[in-house]
């Protein structure tokens, strides 16, 4: 796995939040990016037409094992996108989600050093990528698509509070669309780039390939973007306040680096 962390001075995200998680969540624990890497570009299994929930424990469950409402669950699977980054001699996989008909959000390290990006949706449809741009401040990227994406979620107006429910929707290991549930455990200085400021911490389980997954509240609104985890199983999320700030700044994104 590989990823590059920007060094641009950051601003602290705005939003509802209580006291930060203590440094025990990050000190002495190396956070790892969540792109799934492979030596050969063998395609993963086809995308199924149904969502397979994780076996991780969930605080509350509804249809299909998620704490999302039925409407939120349906919207979540429609907006999730699987990403295959075919580089020069290597393959990595990640996740993303639509924010409009021709734009998806993912992590910077998911799209970096690519020769070609392959995108597919929950119903097995391939979507052609047009261009990828990455942010210098946070581990975020946007990908423009030639083909229309099925659906886009609503971005939450504010960051979640500690204790709020969270559902992560993505493609761990580049395979099946999966949902995992948990809670917002707090906020901590970004363990990979202190200049970003605070990021959210959740106990919702993630795996390699989950990079770029949307973190949703119980109504299916995006409250952040998953980008890393630590050795204790805690996941790190770029908060929606940071995502909104960067999306509103035309200078925040530049063409993503390719492998040549």
């Amino acid at each position: 796995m590989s990823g590059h962390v920007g060094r641009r001075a950051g601003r602290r995200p705005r939003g509802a939040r209580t006291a930060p998680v203590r440094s025990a969540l990050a000190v002495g624990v190396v956070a790892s990016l969540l792109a799934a890497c492979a030596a050969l570009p063998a395609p993963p299994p086809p995308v199924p037409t149904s969502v397979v929930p994780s076996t991780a424990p969930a605080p509350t469950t509804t249809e299909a094992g998620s704490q999302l409402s039925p409407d939120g669950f349906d919207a979540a699977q429609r907006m999730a996108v699987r990403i295959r980054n075919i580089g020069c001699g290597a393959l990595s996989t990640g996740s993303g989600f639509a924010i409009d008909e021709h734009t998806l959000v993912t992590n910077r390290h998911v799209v970096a050093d690519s020769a070609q990006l392959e995108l597919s949706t929950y119903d097995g449809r391939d979507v052609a990528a047009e261009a990828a741009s990455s942010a210098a401040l946070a581990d975020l990227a946007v990908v423009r698509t030639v083909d229309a994406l099925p659906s886009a979620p609503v971005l939450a107006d504010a960051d979640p509070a500690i204790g709020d429910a969270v559902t992560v929707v993505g493609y761990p290991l580049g395979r099946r669309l999966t949902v995992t549930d948990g809670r917002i455990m707090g906020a901590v200085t970004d363990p990979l780039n202190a200049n970003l400021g605070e990021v959210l911490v959740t106990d919702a389980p993630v795996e390699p390939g989950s990079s770029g997954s949307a973190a949703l509240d119980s109504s299916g609104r995006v409250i952040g973007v998953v980008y890393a985890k630590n050795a204790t199983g805690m996941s790190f999320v770029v908060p929606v306040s940071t995502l909104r700030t960067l999306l509103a700044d035309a200078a925040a994104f530049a063409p993503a680096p390719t492998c040549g």
Side-chain angles (χ1 to χ4, degrees):
M1 291 180 288
S2 63
H4 303 282
V5 178
R7 299 180 181 274
R8 201 172 95 186
R11 55 179 75 87
R12 295 181 82 83
R14 298 189 298 259
R17 184 180 295 137
T18 57
V21 168
R22 298 301 177 189
S23 59
L25 285 174
V27 173
V29 178
V30 177
S32 58
L33 301 175
L34 294 170
C37 304
L40 297 174
V47 180
T49 57
S50 61
V51 175
V52 179
S54 167
T55 56
T60 29
T61 59
T62 60
E63 181 179 313
S66 171
Q67 61 193 359
L68 290 172
S69 67
D71 287 345
F73 182 84
D74 179 66
Q77 66 171 334
R78 291 174 57 81
M79 57 86 171
V81 178
R82 183 173 66 180
I83 301 171
R84 297 177 74 231
N85 178 337
I86 301 175
C88 300
L91 166 74
S92 63
T93 65
S95 304
F97 60 94
I99 55 169
D100 63 38
E101 190 175 25
H102 291 280
T103 309
L104 65 88
V105 167
T106 184
N107 290 149
R108 179 179 58 216
H109 72 267
V110 168
V111 301
D113 302 323
S114 67
Q116 180 181 353
L117 294 176
E118 294 183 348
L119 315 176
S120 56
T121 59
Y122 77 105
D123 54 1
R125 183 168 62 89
D126 292 330
V127 176
E130 183 174 36
S133 300
S134 55
L137 174 64
D139 192 349
L140 293 174
V142 293
V143 179
R144 308 293 182 184
T145 67
V146 177
D147 305 312
L149 297 162
S151 179
V154 173
L155 300 184
D157 293 329
D159 296 339
I162 294 174
D164 283 356
V166 61
T167 297
V168 174
V169 182
Y171 291 91
L173 304 178
R175 295 176 182 169
R176 303 225 259 182
L177 182 60
T178 300
V179 296
T180 58
D181 291 335
R183 299 282 175 181
I184 296 297
M185 307 304 291
V188 68
T189 300
D190 181 4
L192 298 179
N193 180 14
N195 289 339
L196 173 58
E198 287 186 346
V199 295
L200 303 175
V201 183
T202 176
D203 60 354
V206 298
E207 299 292 343
S210 296
S211 279
S213 295
L216 309 174
D217 65 15
S218 58
S219 298
R221 296 172 299 186
V222 174
I223 54 87
V225 186
V226 174
Y227 73 99
K229 67 182 290 187
N230 66 14
T232 67
M234 293 293 180
S235 310
F236 297 95
V237 177
V238 178
V240 69
S241 58
T242 298
L243 175 61
R244 279 185 171 277
T245 297
L246 294 183
L247 290 176
D249 183 357
F253 293 88
T258 65
C259 67

